[in-house]
């Protein structure tokens, strides 16, 4: 029963698609006309912080998720949260906050695949399964994912052995790091399937998108009681769980006396597809005292230009950097921000997205530009990224990965330029052991004659930091998935695995 005054949140598409409830939005992933689902209202944090500080991560997750997923019962959300955030998080704490110099690093990489994507992909399978149950969908859900590295493994790990689901991941055979590849091809679970493809990430991504749009194939699958779904970051089932750690980290600072109640903080986020920082924006809209949202890019600085000039222009050279998970020129989730800052002008958003598609470029109007003042944006190149990893380790013994380093560098620039001394959270998105070659290079460790697995040991002995359990001895694990195909063969790979 919905009591009087209880807010019902509905989800509507950014390009004018009709509103549906959260269960449907999680299952559909993307709206018909290509828009993304957004909540029709931002629920407010309505329990005093002085009380919320006593909540652990799971309790806080239930509280925040229930505010957005209003068609789920509290018991259903508890079931999802308790299965997602358990002892697979290595540090005991789900989202530890570590103080280094004057800043606070929010380490979101202690889940089983060592990147922040675990925070959402640990819970998405349970949300999806629960949503299917609520809507009485009996078909088996087949998750199709193309990955450039981190999403694939996090999705595999999240969906492995989840009843009623199968997951198929395609990755560019030559486009991922050795550690990332080893993580994927050693994946256990009867319902998992991993395939390397000849070609780059764009080829994999394009081929998978074509499968989603192939009506005939989808009908064939439907006859066999299969339903395709996606685990990528446009699903609101990935976005909303990410709001939790922003609230949680604020409460941690409050609890430890680092800030006073109501004091505002900044957050600085290494950004690619604009999912993580958008969750921080949602937290702010819910009433969390966030001052600036600092959006950090690498040399693929299309977002940085957007925030500074109000022009989005993807017509530029794609650069391969030391922070590969941010090598992206079309940040899908930015569409949601465009919707919010245009006061829900769906025609305008559709028009801008059409321009992006046709011309690779769009310009926003003055009133939208005015609303970008919540944000600050900068970027760091590889040289600056290496330098800050080295200096921070030398000066403070704190080791960070390349993505986090981009954020830290941009934050330092912000602090100098704006003369703002507010307490700041730097979001730490991956373990340094996931990118051992670049981190070793940054620290000046000779790495030319060693492979990535040997480098893990070198990095560990140099820094005196243990290799995380989930990748220790990974080079000796049994390779379970030894599949390689051409991009034209993706469909037959799927048919083979599903036996259709
Ligand atoms: C995915 C990823 C990012 C970018 O996050 P978005 O939500 O796409 O902006 C940053 N760092 C790492 C390590 C990632 O895996």
């Amino acid at each position: 029963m919905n009591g009087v005054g209880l807010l019902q949140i509905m989800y509507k598409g950014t390009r004018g698609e009709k509103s549906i409830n959260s269960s449907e939005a999680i299952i559909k992933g993307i709206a018909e006309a290509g828009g993304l689902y957004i909540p029709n209202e931002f629920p407010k944090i309505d329990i005093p912080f002085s009380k919320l500080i006593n909540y652990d991560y799971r309790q806080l997750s239930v509280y925040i998720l229930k505010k957005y997923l209003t068609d789920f019962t509290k018991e259903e959300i508890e079931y999802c949260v308790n299965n997602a955030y358990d002892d697979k998080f290595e540090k005991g704490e789900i989202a530890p906050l570590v103080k280094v110099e004057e800043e606070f690093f929010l380490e979101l990489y202690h889940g089983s695949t060592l990147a922040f994507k675990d925070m959402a992909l640990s819970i998405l399978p349970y949300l999806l399964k629960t949503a299917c149950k609520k809507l009485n969908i009996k078909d088996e859900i087949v998750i199709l994912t193309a990955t450039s590295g981190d999403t694939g493994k996090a999705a595999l790990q999240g969906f492995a052995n989840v009843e009623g689901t199968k997951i198929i991941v395609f990755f560019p055979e030559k486009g991922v790091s050795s550690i990332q590849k080893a993580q994927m091809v050693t994946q256990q679970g009867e319902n998992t399937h991993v395939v390397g493809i000849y070609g780059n990430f764009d080829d994999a991504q394009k081929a998978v998108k074509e499968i989603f749009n192939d009506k005939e194939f989808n009908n064939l699958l439907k006859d066999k009681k299969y339903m395709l779904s996606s685990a990528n970051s446009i699903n609101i089932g990935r976005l909303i769980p990410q709001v939790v750690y922003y609230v949680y980290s604020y409460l941690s600072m409050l609890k430890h006396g680092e800030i006073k109640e109501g004091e505002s903080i900044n957050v600085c986020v290494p950004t690619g597809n604009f999912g993580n920082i958008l969750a921080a924006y949602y937290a702010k809209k819910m009433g969390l005292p966030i001052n600036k949202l600092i959006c950090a890019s690498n040399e693929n600085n299309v977002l940085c230009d957007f925030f500074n000039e109000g022009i989005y222009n993807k017509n530029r050279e794609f650069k391969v950097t030391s922070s590969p998970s941010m090598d992206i020129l079309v940040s899908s989730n930015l569409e949601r921000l465009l919707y919010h800052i245009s006061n829900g002008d769906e025609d305008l958003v559709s028009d801008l997205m059409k321009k992006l598609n046709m011309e690779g470029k769009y310009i926003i109007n003055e009133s939208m530009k005015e609303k970008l003042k919540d944000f600050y944006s900068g970027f760091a190149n590889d040289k600056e990224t290496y330098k800050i990893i080295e200096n921070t380790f030398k000066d403070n013994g704190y080791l960070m990965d390349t993505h986090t380093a981009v954020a830290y560098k941009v934050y330092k620039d912000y602090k100098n330029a704006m003369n703002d001394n507010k307490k700041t959270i730097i979001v730490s998105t991956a373990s340094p052991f996931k990118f051992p070659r670049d981190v070793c290079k940054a620290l000046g460790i000779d790495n030319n004659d060693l492979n990535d697995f040997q480098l893990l040991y070198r990095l560990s002995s140099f820094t005196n930091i243990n290799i995380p359990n989930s990748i220790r001895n990974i080079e000796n694990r049994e390779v379970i998935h030894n599949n390689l195909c051409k991009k034209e063969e993706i469909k037959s790979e799927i048919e083979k695995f599903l036996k259709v």
Side-chain angles (χ1 to χ4, degrees):
M1 195 189 82
N2 299 312
V4 179
L6 265 187
L7 191 60
Q8 276 294 315
I9 301 286
M10 297 296 285
Y11 291 83
K12 131 180 233 313
T14 45
R15 301 185 195 177
E17 297 94 338
K18 75 172 191 344
S19 291
I20 54 180
N21 66 27
S22 73
S23 310
E24 294 171 289
I26 288 169
I27 291 168
K28 289 181 75 173
I30 187 160
E32 299 84 29
L36 308 189
Y37 286 111
I38 36 96
N40 62 349
E41 200 170 325
F42 289 108
K44 296 285 180 271
I45 299 171
D46 56 0
I47 295 179
F49 291 135
S50 56
K51 197 164 165 206
L52 281 179
I53 57 172
N54 298 314
Y55 284 34
D56 66 19
Y57 197 86
R58 280 176 281 270
Q59 290 169 316
L60 190 69
S61 297
V62 172
Y63 172 65
I64 302 282
L65 263 56
K66 182 77 187 91
K67 293 240 162 262
Y68 281 99
L69 313 180
T70 47
D71 53 319
F72 282 61
T73 66
K74 183 152 184 260
E75 290 70 31
E76 285 167 341
I77 290 179
E78 278 169 351
Y79 158 82
C80 295
V81 164
N82 291 335
N83 277 288
Y85 303 121
D86 59 10
D87 55 14
K88 59 180 159 291
F89 284 80
E90 238 178 74
K91 265 212 164 169
E93 213 180 329
I94 312 284
L97 193 63
V98 179
K99 190 173 183 183
V100 179
E101 294 183 334
E102 292 303 309
E103 283 77 57
F104 298 82
F105 286 80
L106 176 59
E107 296 183 348
L108 300 176
Y109 59 78
H110 296 290
S112 45
T113 79
L114 309 180
F116 92 96
K117 307 237 174 12
D118 286 326
M119 302 302 291
L121 281 163
S122 305
I123 193 164
L124 181 67
Y126 296 99
L127 294 174
L128 195 60
K129 212 177 118 178
T130 307
C132 285
K133 208 160 152 193
K134 295 172 76 62
L135 298 178
N136 207 13
I137 292 171
K138 298 269 174 25
D139 294 352
E140 190 158 20
I141 301 283
V142 180
I143 303 291
L144 273 196
T145 304
T147 184
S148 60
D150 288 337
T151 296
K153 178 61 184 181
L156 281 165
Q157 194 68 29
F159 281 93
N161 298 318
V162 173
E163 216 185 296
T165 72
K166 285 192 165 44
I167 172 160
I168 309 176
V169 168
F170 294 96
F171 72 92
E173 171 68 12
K174 297 247 176 309
V176 300
S177 81
S178 321
I179 305 288
Q180 287 174 320
K181 180 175 172 184
Q183 281 185 304
M184 289 189 277
V185 299
T186 59
Q187 177 68 46
Q188 301 193 343
E190 279 294 305
N191 66 336
T192 66
H193 192 56
V194 179
V195 185
I197 71 157
Y198 297 105
N200 62 25
F201 170 65
D202 282 334
D203 295 327
Q205 167 103 324
K206 194 154 169 274
V208 166
K209 274 197 182 148
E210 281 165 12
I211 302 274
F212 276 111
N213 292 328
D214 184 337
K215 279 228 160 61
E216 204 179 313
F217 187 56
N218 278 270
N219 285 337
L220 168 80
L221 293 179
K222 185 120 199 72
D223 287 343
K224 306 280 178 183
K225 303 257 173 289
Y226 287 121
M227 192 173 143
L228 293 182
S229 188
S230 155
N232 72 26
S233 78
I234 51 186
N235 195 314
I236 57 137
R238 271 191 66 180
L239 182 62
I240 289 164
Q242 294 177 353
V243 175
V244 178
Y245 48 73
Y246 289 104
V247 181
Y248 184 78
S249 54
Y250 183 87
L251 294 168
S252 294
M253 288 169 81
L254 194 58
K255 194 170 177 168
H256 292 103
E258 297 287 355
I259 50 173
K260 294 195 207 54
E261 178 145 6
E263 185 175 335
S264 68
I265 60 165
N266 302 311
V267 299
C268 180
V269 188
T271 297
N273 221 0
F274 206 73
N276 202 353
I277 193 165
L278 187 71
Y281 178 78
Y282 277 33
K284 180 175 165 105
K285 291 285 176 193
M286 294 181 80
L288 194 72
I290 294 178
N291 175 46
K292 283 280 181 206
L293 298 142
I294 303 170
C295 174
S297 300
N298 63 23
E299 276 192 277
N300 294 295
N301 56 355
V302 57
L303 280 170
C304 179
D305 290 345
F306 171 75
F307 282 107
N308 291 315
E309 295 156 19
I311 302 172
Y312 196 96
N313 187 354
K314 78 170 174 90
N315 303 316
R316 59 181 77 200
E317 187 196 343
F318 178 90
K319 300 207 169 115
V320 176
T321 74
S322 65
S323 43
S325 302
M326 295 156 69
D327 289 345
I328 185 163
L329 292 177
V330 178
S331 300
S332 318
N333 278 293
L334 191 65
E335 181 170 348
R336 286 188 165 107
L337 183 70
L338 295 175
Y339 183 89
H340 297 307
I341 62 173
S342 67
N343 291 323
D345 189 338
E346 51 210 35
D347 294 334
L348 181 61
V349 174
S350 303
D351 189 46
L352 295 179
M353 291 300 107
K354 203 180 286 163
K355 287 209 173 84
L356 181 63
N357 205 15
M358 312 281 284
E359 299 154 31
K361 178 179 168 178
Y362 61 80
I363 302 174
I364 60 170
N365 61 37
E366 281 307 314
S367 83
M368 288 167 85
K369 222 171 138 181
E370 185 63 26
K371 294 212 180 115
L372 293 183
K373 292 218 165 99
D374 286 335
F375 293 85
Y376 171 94
S377 188
F379 75 99
N381 63 28
D382 276 354
K383 205 170 152 208
E384 294 165 325
T385 304
Y386 292 143
K387 189 97 209 127
I388 203 156
I389 292 175
E390 183 185 26
N391 288 348
T392 309
F393 185 72
K394 262 196 197 140
D395 298 344
N396 302 290
Y398 186 74
L399 188 65
M400 69 184 88
D401 94 295
T402 44
H403 303 76
T404 310
V406 166
Y408 197 24
K409 165 68 173 66
V410 169
Y411 170 66
K412 292 211 165 194
D413 291 344
Y414 165 82
K415 198 171 174 181
N416 282 335
M418 309 309 263
N419 216 347
D420 173 11
N421 285 321
K422 282 195 171 47
K423 301 275 168 65
T424 299
I425 288 173
I426 313 288
V427 177
S428 182
T429 49
S431 160
F433 287 92
K434 214 167 176 177
F435 304 95
R437 188 157 302 272
D438 285 300
V439 175
C440 282
K441 196 167 162 188
L443 296 176
I445 302 170
D446 177 28
N447 66 10
N448 285 336
D449 52 344
L450 300 178
N451 68 33
D452 280 16
F453 303 113
Q454 295 166 321
L455 281 177
L456 289 177
Y457 296 98
R458 274 293 269 135
L459 183 59
S460 176
S461 63
F462 185 88
T463 58
N464 242 328
I465 300 172
N466 288 336
I467 300 172
N469 284 332
S470 64
I471 53 168
R472 195 171 298 155
N473 300 321
I474 190 166
E475 68 274 26
N476 301 325
R477 280 185 215 154
E478 185 195 355
V479 171
I480 294 171
H481 306 275
N482 210 345
N483 313 297
L484 197 55
C485 79
K486 301 200 192 84
K487 59 190 181 215
E488 299 79 31
E489 295 165 345
I490 282 189
K491 199 196 271 185
S492 57
E493 269 297 324
I494 298 171
E495 290 171 341
K496 215 164 64 192
F497 179 59
L498 297 180
K499 303 194 177 72
V500 296

